[in-house]
Amino acid sequence: KPADQWEKIDQASTSFGYSFNTNVLDLAHAYLIFANQGEILPLSLIKLNQPPEGKQLVKPEVAKEVLEMMETVVARGGTAPKAQIPGYRVAGKTGTVHKTNRGGGYEKNSYLSLFAGIVPVSNPNMIMIVVVNEPSRGIYYGGAVAAPVFKEVMEEALRLRDVPPDELLVNHK
């Protein structure tokens, strides 16, 4: 709802990502800002004759800084180390949300588990969002459920598109 109609609870819930509705395509589009040095490009599902004109929304150095912060999510100690891809720097963000019910509240034990990732960090080539609807077996955090799916699919996408690795592999003697 419009900000001028927000109540105090709306201000609190939006601060941690609740009270918003979006779709996966719009979410991936939002991450383009970080992969594209702060510039957003319009979405198109058809091939365009000319490259679209972008709009600078944030300074390139700010976008780079956020991308590097997102890289810590995938590092050891982050919320999604299961998204690590050998040879590639991966930036990401996990998400775990209660599903909404028809009455306007949230379902008690019904979740969406998400992982949004950008690869490779040094020269972003692909963005992928993985959403798992109502994960089972009692595990529902995005880093535990969606991040491993991201890793498996993205590894193959990187291979098929022949995207060069960006992480220096250290020889251990």
Side-chain angles (χ1 to χ4, degrees):
K1 56 186 162 180
D4 63 351
Q5 295 177 16
W6 285 7
E7 297 177 25
K8 288 189 181 216
I9 190 69
D10 296 312
Q11 292 176 1
S13 61
T14 57
S15 71
F16 53 87
Y18 275 59
S19 298
F20 290 105
N21 287 312
T22 190
N23 61 53
V24 177
L25 182 59
D26 283 337
L27 187 59
H29 188 227
Y31 280 92
L32 179 61
I33 294 168
F34 309 115
N36 201 35
Q37 301 175 352
E39 185 178 349
I40 195 72
L41 298 169
L43 284 174
S44 178
L45 295 176
I46 58 172
K47 186 176 180 177
L48 302 174
N49 293 328
Q50 296 179 357
E53 195 171 312
K55 181 177 181 181
Q56 196 73 39
L57 295 183
V58 298
K59 294 178 183 176
E61 51 276 9
V62 172
K64 181 178 186 261
E65 209 172 304
V66 172
L67 192 62
E68 289 171 354
M69 285 187 235
M70 290 170 58
E71 194 173 6
T72 67
V73 170
V74 180
R76 180 183 290 159
T79 56
K82 292 181 178 183
Q84 292 177 5
I85 300 173
Y88 294 90
R89 293 172 56 202
V90 179
K93 174 71 179 87
T94 59
T96 307
V97 296
H98 284 277
K99 291 180 71 175
T100 55
N101 64 33
R102 295 183 194 264
Y106 296 100
E107 295 289 338
K108 189 171 181 102
N109 293 309
S110 186
Y111 300 92
L112 291 173
S113 302
L114 296 93
F115 181 79
I118 300 170
V119 180
V121 170
S122 64
N123 187 20
N125 185 281
M126 287 186 274
I127 297 169
M128 182 190 311
I129 310 289
V130 174
V131 180
V132 178
N133 187 13
E134 296 187 20
S136 57
R137 297 186 221 155
I139 301 169
Y140 53 85
Y141 292 112
V145 177
V149 176
F150 170 89
K151 175 192 189 286
E152 293 296 319
V153 175
M154 187 57 86
E155 272 184 319
E156 282 302 303
L158 290 163
R159 184 186 66 77
L160 290 171
R161 293 191 59 190
D162 201 22
V163 177
D166 68 341
E167 183 177 278
L168 294 175
L169 300 177
V170 179
N171 292 327
H172 293 93
K173 295 183 179 182

